[in-house]
Amino acid sequence: MKKLFLTAAALALWAGAARAELKVVTASSDLKYICERVGGAEVEVESLASGDQDLHMVEPRPSMVFKLKKADLVVRVGLDLDMWMDSLINAAKNKRLFYGEPGYVDASAGVPLLEKPEGKVDASMGDIHIYGNPHYWLDPANAKIMAKNILAGFKRAAPEKAAAFEANYSAFIKETDERLAGWQARMAPLKGLKIVTYHGSWPYFAARFGLEVAGHVEPKPGLPPSASHLDGLVKKMKAENVAVILTESYYPRKGPEFLAARTGAGIVTAAVSAGGARDVKTYFDVFELVVTELEKAAEKK
């Protein structure tokens, strides 16, 4: 009996060691992918949002609180895009994850921000983010900043594994640079291409690849388009020869299809996060699909 007891105890210790990974909870599937790349075998990562969700509109659930209770780190998009996480972190009462604590990671730290509002900001302006446009992950170069913030969080939580994290981080940066160079080469012929986007999600992408955003299907962030707004947009698109309408996969099709029918512009439907479409399984797949579809749309025009 004593021998069996010792064996059971040894097995329990072994099982504990086998699951000694850092438990990480992220706001988005893109952050999950980057955490897995930087953390490797040393982390276990769950995303609270799926890749096909609008990150503005995620509904907090009790199951999310349970995940945060057990987490060693939480990784957020920040810039008020994932404000729904505030109530979840407070409900979980996991002090490691509170703002300013070692287990709190804001992936936006250090990102050069675009579209920071100036002057008074109020509800009449729509869904305005006071710190700047929060869709920074749609510039693949910003993945390097996001990964650096994640690396720092992992090293705080498990300094004894720093060497492994550093090696994984270096490999991720190398691949990011290689892929970015390829996308920039492919997008070079499209420099100056005018596009209309559904939501203001694409300024970082447009700035990186030299596109010009001529307007939005939404009259103001988060507000559905009116008939008069769409009519005005048709006139603008015709006058400026706008060739492409870029829309996220989770937005309604009615507005983009109305514009396309009256202007001849092509519609590019994009998954903005990993897992957002059948062929978009990773963060890098997001850009591979968008670049490919923009090439096709520009060629047709």
Side-chain angles (χ1 to χ4, degrees), residues 28-30 50-53 55 137-138 271-277 280 282 286:
S28 74
S29 57
D30 299 306
S50 61
D52 59 356
Q53 280 185 290
L55 288 177
W137 74 90
L138 288 173
V272 296
S273 289
V280 181
T282 74
V286 171

Side-chain angles (χ1 to χ4, degrees), residues 250-272:
Y250 44 71
Y251 282 128
R253 300 283 298 180
K254 186 175 180 180
E257 288 175 351
F258 175 90
L259 295 173
R262 283 157 180 77
T263 65
I267 299 175
V268 171
T269 302
V272 296

Side-chain angles (χ1 to χ4, degrees), residues 28-250:
S28 74
S29 57
D30 299 306
L31 291 174
K32 178 179 184 289
Y33 176 77
I34 298 174
C35 283
E36 289 173 336
R37 290 293 305 270
V38 175
E42 310 299 336
V43 299
E44 177 185 323
V45 191
E46 289 189 87
S47 172
L48 297 184
S50 61
D52 59 356
Q53 280 185 290
D54 181 351
L55 288 177
H56 298 85
M57 306 297 291
V58 176
E59 183 178 351
R61 299 191 301 273
S63 60
M64 297 177 178
V65 176
F66 183 70
K67 291 175 182 178
L68 288 165
K69 281 181 180 292
K70 301 185 297 178
D72 298 299
L73 290 98
V74 63
V75 183
R76 303 187 62 170
V77 177
L79 304 177
D80 286 347
L81 181 63
D82 50 7
M83 289 178 66
W84 44 271
M85 285 198 74
D86 292 336
S87 61
L88 294 170
I89 292 172
N90 290 334
K93 298 179 180 178
N94 182 344
K95 293 183 178 180
R96 292 188 297 270
L97 311 185
F98 289 172
Y99 176 82
E101 295 299 320
Y104 183 96
V105 177
D106 183 339
S108 72
V111 172
L113 299 177
L114 302 178
E115 299 183 349
K116 295 179 70 172
E118 297 179 0
K120 183 180 178 182
V121 176
D122 57 46
S124 68
M125 301 169 68
D127 184 18
I128 294 292
H129 296 274
I130 61 172
Y131 301 110
N133 191 298
H135 302 273
Y136 59 87
W137 74 90
L138 288 173
D139 175 356
N142 286 336
K144 296 187 286 185
I145 300 174
M146 297 155 66
K148 187 175 181 180
N149 291 326
I150 289 166
L151 171 66
F154 287 174
K155 289 166 70 175
R156 287 195 302 269
E160 72 281 4
K161 299 177 181 179
F165 296 144
E166 288 278 5
N168 294 338
Y169 167 79
S170 296
F172 177 77
I173 297 301
K174 183 176 184 292
E175 182 176 356
T176 300
D177 284 336
E178 290 171 351
R179 287 179 177 267
L180 179 57
W183 293 322
Q184 287 179 314
R186 291 169 59 188
M187 289 291 288
L190 276 61
K191 187 174 182 180
L193 178 73
K194 290 189 176 184
I195 63 173
V196 160
T197 69
Y198 195 103
H199 181 70
S201 304
W202 299 94
Y204 295 95
F205 181 88
R208 175 60 52 191
F209 296 111
L211 306 181
E212 181 179 338
V213 179
H216 306 293
V217 177
E218 293 178 330
K220 295 180 181 180
L223 300 181
S226 63
S228 61
H229 173 72
L230 291 175
D231 286 338
L233 202 51
V234 167
K235 293 176 183 177
K236 182 178 178 66
M237 291 175 67
K238 287 181 176 180
E240 299 185 16
N241 194 31
V242 176
V244 176
I245 303 159
L246 180 57
T247 180
E248 294 85 336
S249 56
Y250 44 71

